[in-house]
Amino acid sequence: TILAYPETLMSSTKRIQFTAKIKAPASVIWHHITDLESYQQWASAFAEGSYFQGSWEQASKIKFLAPSGDGMVSEIAESRANEFISIRHLGFIANGVEDTTSEAIRAWAPAYENYTLLPTTGGTTMVVDQEVAAEWEEYIFQAWPKALEILKKLSEATRVA
Protein backbone atom coordinates (compact mmCIF):
# COMPACT_ATOMS: atom_id res chain seq x y z
CA THR A 1 0.00 0.00 0.00
CA ILE A 2 1.35 3.40 -0.95
CA LEU A 3 -0.28 6.44 0.64
CA ALA A 4 0.28 10.14 0.00
CA TYR A 5 -0.49 13.12 2.24
CA PRO A 6 -0.03 16.82 1.39
CA GLU A 7 0.73 19.50 3.99
CA THR A 8 1.18 23.19 3.13
CA LEU A 9 4.37 24.85 4.43
CA MET A 10 5.24 28.21 2.88
CA SER A 11 3.34 29.70 -0.05
CA SER A 12 5.75 28.15 -2.58
CA THR A 13 6.51 24.86 -0.80
CA LYS A 14 4.45 21.93 0.40
CA ARG A 15 5.44 18.89 2.44
CA ILE A 16 4.11 15.67 1.02
CA GLN A 17 4.41 12.19 2.44
CA PHE A 18 4.36 8.74 0.89
CA THR A 19 4.47 5.41 2.72
CA ALA A 20 5.05 1.88 1.48
CA LYS A 21 4.95 -1.42 3.34
CA ILE A 22 7.81 -3.57 2.05
CA LYS A 23 8.30 -7.25 2.94
CA ALA A 24 12.07 -6.93 3.37
CA PRO A 25 14.46 -5.90 6.14
CA ALA A 26 15.53 -2.25 6.35
CA SER A 27 19.12 -3.19 5.41
CA VAL A 28 17.95 -4.52 2.03
CA ILE A 29 15.84 -1.43 1.31
CA TRP A 30 18.73 0.83 2.37
CA HIS A 31 21.00 -0.99 -0.09
CA HIS A 32 18.52 -0.44 -2.94
CA ILE A 33 18.08 3.25 -2.05
CA THR A 34 21.82 3.98 -2.04
CA ASP A 35 23.26 1.53 -4.58
CA LEU A 36 23.78 3.25 -7.97
CA GLU A 37 22.47 0.36 -10.07
CA SER A 38 19.33 -0.04 -7.93
CA TYR A 39 18.86 3.74 -7.71
CA GLN A 40 18.84 3.96 -11.50
CA GLN A 41 15.99 1.45 -11.59
CA TRP A 42 13.66 3.04 -9.04
CA ALA A 43 14.56 6.64 -9.90
CA SER A 44 13.53 5.96 -13.51
CA ALA A 45 10.03 6.80 -12.23
CA PHE A 46 11.22 10.43 -12.04
CA ALA A 47 13.23 10.49 -15.27
CA GLU A 48 14.41 7.56 -17.37
CA GLY A 49 18.18 7.27 -17.04
CA SER A 50 18.38 9.10 -13.69
CA TYR A 51 21.55 8.61 -11.68
CA PHE A 52 23.45 10.18 -8.81
CA GLN A 53 27.02 11.39 -8.33
CA GLY A 54 28.43 11.60 -4.83
CA SER A 55 28.00 9.86 -1.53
CA TRP A 56 25.07 9.09 0.78
CA GLU A 57 27.32 9.75 3.82
CA GLN A 58 26.34 12.54 6.19
CA ALA A 59 27.64 16.01 5.14
CA SER A 60 28.49 14.75 1.63
CA LYS A 61 27.57 16.58 -1.55
CA ILE A 62 25.37 14.56 -3.92
CA LYS A 63 23.90 15.37 -7.32
CA PHE A 64 20.72 13.78 -8.68
CA LEU A 65 20.92 13.93 -12.45
CA ALA A 66 19.06 13.16 -15.66
CA PRO A 67 21.05 11.76 -18.63
CA SER A 68 21.42 15.35 -19.92
CA GLY A 69 23.38 16.24 -16.77
CA ASP A 70 20.62 18.54 -15.54
CA GLY A 71 19.22 17.92 -12.08
CA MET A 72 19.52 18.78 -8.41
CA VAL A 73 22.53 19.73 -6.31
CA SER A 74 22.10 18.52 -2.75
CA GLU A 75 23.86 17.41 0.39
CA ILE A 76 23.17 14.64 2.87
CA ALA A 77 21.97 16.44 6.00
CA GLU A 78 21.74 13.26 8.06
CA SER A 79 22.44 9.59 7.43
CA ARG A 80 21.80 6.70 9.84
CA ALA A 81 22.32 3.42 7.99
CA ASN A 82 19.20 1.25 7.69
CA GLU A 83 17.09 3.86 9.55
CA PHE A 84 17.00 7.39 8.17
CA ILE A 85 18.43 9.63 5.48
CA SER A 86 17.80 13.35 5.01
CA ILE A 87 18.64 15.00 1.70
CA ARG A 88 18.93 18.80 1.69
CA HIS A 89 18.23 20.03 -1.84
CA LEU A 90 20.16 23.25 -2.46
CA GLY A 91 19.46 24.09 -6.10
CA PHE A 92 19.33 23.05 -9.72
CA ILE A 93 21.97 22.15 -12.29
CA ALA A 94 21.20 23.27 -15.83
CA ASN A 95 23.59 23.14 -18.78
CA GLY A 96 26.37 22.16 -16.38
CA VAL A 97 25.88 25.22 -14.17
CA GLU A 98 24.87 24.91 -10.52
CA ASP A 99 22.35 27.50 -9.31
CA THR A 100 21.94 27.73 -5.55
CA THR A 101 21.57 31.51 -5.19
CA SER A 102 19.09 32.87 -7.76
CA GLU A 103 15.79 34.34 -6.59
CA ALA A 104 13.91 31.41 -8.15
CA ILE A 105 15.99 28.91 -6.15
CA ARG A 106 15.87 30.91 -2.90
CA ALA A 107 12.06 30.82 -3.13
CA TRP A 108 12.14 27.11 -2.21
CA ALA A 109 15.67 26.09 -1.15
CA PRO A 110 16.72 24.46 0.96
CA ALA A 111 14.09 21.74 0.61
CA TYR A 112 14.32 18.43 2.41
CA GLU A 113 13.60 14.89 1.24
CA ASN A 114 13.66 12.38 4.08
CA TYR A 115 13.48 8.59 4.01
CA THR A 116 12.58 6.78 7.23
CA LEU A 117 12.71 2.98 7.51
CA LEU A 118 10.53 1.60 10.31
CA PRO A 119 10.70 -2.09 11.24
CA THR A 120 7.27 -3.76 11.20
CA THR A 121 6.00 -7.30 11.52
CA GLY A 122 7.03 -9.05 8.33
CA GLY A 123 9.12 -6.23 6.93
CA THR A 124 9.63 -2.49 6.92
CA THR A 125 7.50 0.60 6.38
CA MET A 126 9.29 3.21 4.30
CA VAL A 127 8.14 6.79 4.83
CA VAL A 128 9.15 9.50 2.37
CA ASP A 129 8.67 13.11 3.51
CA GLN A 130 9.43 15.66 0.83
CA GLU A 131 9.22 19.43 0.65
CA VAL A 132 8.29 20.37 -2.88
CA ALA A 133 7.78 23.62 -4.76
CA ALA A 134 4.16 24.04 -5.87
CA GLU A 135 5.03 23.75 -9.57
CA TRP A 136 6.54 20.27 -9.01
CA GLU A 137 3.80 18.91 -6.74
CA GLU A 138 1.74 17.10 -9.40
CA TYR A 139 4.86 15.55 -10.95
CA ILE A 140 6.07 14.30 -7.54
CA PHE A 141 2.60 12.91 -6.70
CA GLN A 142 2.72 10.89 -9.92
CA ALA A 143 6.36 9.76 -9.71
CA TRP A 144 6.84 8.71 -6.06
CA PRO A 145 4.22 5.93 -6.01
CA LYS A 146 5.83 4.43 -9.14
CA ALA A 147 9.33 4.76 -7.63
CA LEU A 148 8.21 3.12 -4.38
CA GLU A 149 6.59 0.25 -6.28
CA ILE A 150 9.89 -0.41 -8.12
CA LEU A 151 11.87 -0.12 -4.86
CA LYS A 152 9.41 -2.52 -3.20
CA LYS A 153 9.81 -5.09 -6.00
CA LEU A 154 13.62 -4.81 -5.93
CA SER A 155 13.71 -5.19 -2.13
CA GLU A 156 11.20 -8.02 -1.93
CA ALA A 157 13.04 -9.96 -4.66
CA THR A 158 16.35 -9.77 -2.77
CA ARG A 159 17.26 -12.96 -0.96
CA VAL A 160 18.63 -12.38 2.52
CA ALA A 161 21.28 -14.87 3.69
Side-chain angles (χ1 to χ4, degrees):
T1 307
I2 297 172
L3 304 171
Y5 305 96
E7 176 188 329
T8 302
L9 293 174
M10 301 175 275
S11 59
S12 63
T13 309
K14 284 189 178 181
R15 180 177 294 129
I16 53 180
Q17 184 179 83
F18 302 90
T19 61
K21 294 186 186 327
I22 302 173
K23 294 176 188 161
S27 59
V28 169
I29 300 164
W30 183 270
H31 167 78
H32 289 299
I33 290 169
T34 61
D35 174 72
L36 180 58
E37 189 176 314
S38 296
Y39 175 87
Q40 289 173 309
Q41 292 179 55
W42 66 265
S44 68
F46 297 94
E48 196 63 45
S50 291
Y51 64 101
F52 67 83
Q53 288 180 340
S55 168
W56 293 87
E57 307 254 331
Q58 189 161 315
S60 295
K61 183 175 181 176
I62 190 166
K63 296 177 183 179
F64 300 98
L65 304 164
S68 66
D70 292 348
M72 303 285 295
V73 59
S74 309
E75 65 186 9
I76 303 302
E78 189 173 341
S79 182
R80 295 191 312 270
N82 308 325
E83 293 178 14
F84 179 77
I85 194 150
S86 178
I87 305 161
R88 182 184 300 119
H89 296 296
L90 302 172
F92 285 128
I93 303 164
N95 302 314
V97 177
E98 291 184 16
D99 177 6
T100 58
T101 58
S102 72
E103 191 174 320
I105 297 297
R106 288 193 325 246
W108 61 264
Y112 289 83
E113 182 175 338
N114 299 328
Y115 308 154
T116 306
L117 301 176
L118 303 168
T120 58
T121 304
T124 305
T125 297
M126 180 171 173
V127 180
V128 176
D129 290 294
Q130 184 165 358
E131 295 173 2
V132 62
E135 63 266 26
W136 292 97
E137 183 180 4
E138 186 177 333
Y139 168 74
I140 294 297
F141 262 109
Q142 291 174 8
W144 257 120
K146 294 175 190 168
L148 284 170
E149 195 58 42
I150 296 166
L151 188 56
K152 177 181 167 101
K153 286 179 182 169
L154 286 169
S155 297
E156 290 179 351
T158 300
R159 298 285 170 239
V160 179

